[in-house]
Amino acid sequence: MKPRVATVWLGGCSGCHMSLLDMDERLIALAGRMDLVHGPLLDVKEFPDAVDVTLVEGAVANEEHLIQIRKVRARTKVLVAFGDCAVSGNVTALRNVLGNADGVLTRVYGDRAPGGRVVFDELVPKLLDRVLPVHQVVDVDLFLPGCPPSADLIHFVLSELLDGRSPDLAGRLRFG
Ligand code: SF4
């Protein structure tokens, strides 16, 4: 049976998933070695059981993300924080300087929201007061930094994991 691989998109810009697509023809070779079972490229609503590897893009920024990442963790063997927003909060966490969710909403909408308030319901999840990197909510098995991580780095990590090895990122990360 091929390894079951998933991706998840939390509070991020989708740039990490775009970098994944930048693997170009290497994706075809990887696709033959795994079953892709969840992600924004698939029409699968519920995160499945028994996933071997999940790449998580983005930070935890609202209540829906909290529920989702806990479910993902419970159903995944190797959880990868995929990109700097997942690793550290990065761009998504910039709004933390505004104090809390009310501070963000006031800064963005002022009194222009209906009735002077932003209405949250099942379609508009409530913002958390602080944006959190993934490891502050659940255990992370591997940190894959970069904004976004390069296609070469993503390819290396996925190839190693599919071969049953733990990727050694020493010497492969470039800063600046
Ligand atoms: S790490 Fe960069 S590319 Fe990835 S979701 Fe965050 S801002 Fe976008």
Side-chain angles (χ1 to χ4, degrees):
M1 204 166 96
K2 294 179 192 168
R4 288 161 58 79
V5 176
T7 72
V8 171
W9 181 10
L10 302 181
C13 73
S14 92
C16 293
H17 274 85
M18 294 300 107
S19 195
L20 188 146
L21 294 180
D22 278 345
M23 283 193 282
D24 298 327
E25 69 276 5
R26 288 177 292 181
L27 275 171
I28 297 169
L30 282 180
R33 301 175 54 201
M34 64 185 187
D35 284 330
L36 187 61
V37 294
H38 184 273
L41 306 176
L42 302 179
D43 188 18
V44 177
K45 306 291 184 233
E46 179 70 11
F47 193 84
D49 284 319
V51 178
D52 294 297
V53 176
T54 300
L55 304 181
V56 179
E57 172 187 319
V60 180
N62 64 38
E63 290 184 348
E64 185 180 85
H65 294 158
L66 265 185
I67 294 168
Q68 194 179 7
I69 194 62
R70 287 175 178 143
K71 184 184 293 182
V72 167
R73 176 68 277 182
R75 298 179 179 183
T76 298
K77 278 190 204 150
V78 178
L79 190 150
V80 181
F82 177 32
D84 283 348
C85 290
V87 170
S88 69
N90 192 36
V91 176
T92 312
L94 289 177
R95 60 106 151 156
N96 286 348
V97 298
L98 297 173
N100 57 23
D102 280 344
V104 175
L105 296 171
T106 302
R107 176 65 176 266
V108 173
Y109 295 104
D111 59 3
R112 287 170 289 160
R117 291 189 56 78
V118 177
V119 178
F120 294 97
D121 57 22
E122 65 274 10
L123 295 178
V124 184
K126 204 166 175 215
L127 294 181
L128 300 181
D129 278 330
R130 292 190 66 75
V131 173
L132 302 168
V134 172
H135 72 272
Q136 287 189 7
V137 182
V138 296
D139 287 341
V140 168
D141 301 302
L142 184 71
F143 294 89
L144 176 49
C147 183
S150 70
D152 287 347
L153 195 58
I154 300 168
H155 181 259
F156 169 73
V157 166
L158 268 179
S159 299
E160 290 289 282
L161 290 173
L162 290 175
D163 284 340
R165 290 190 291 267
S166 181
D168 180 3
L169 297 183
R172 291 183 177 269
L173 302 179
R174 292 189 180 80
F175 301 96

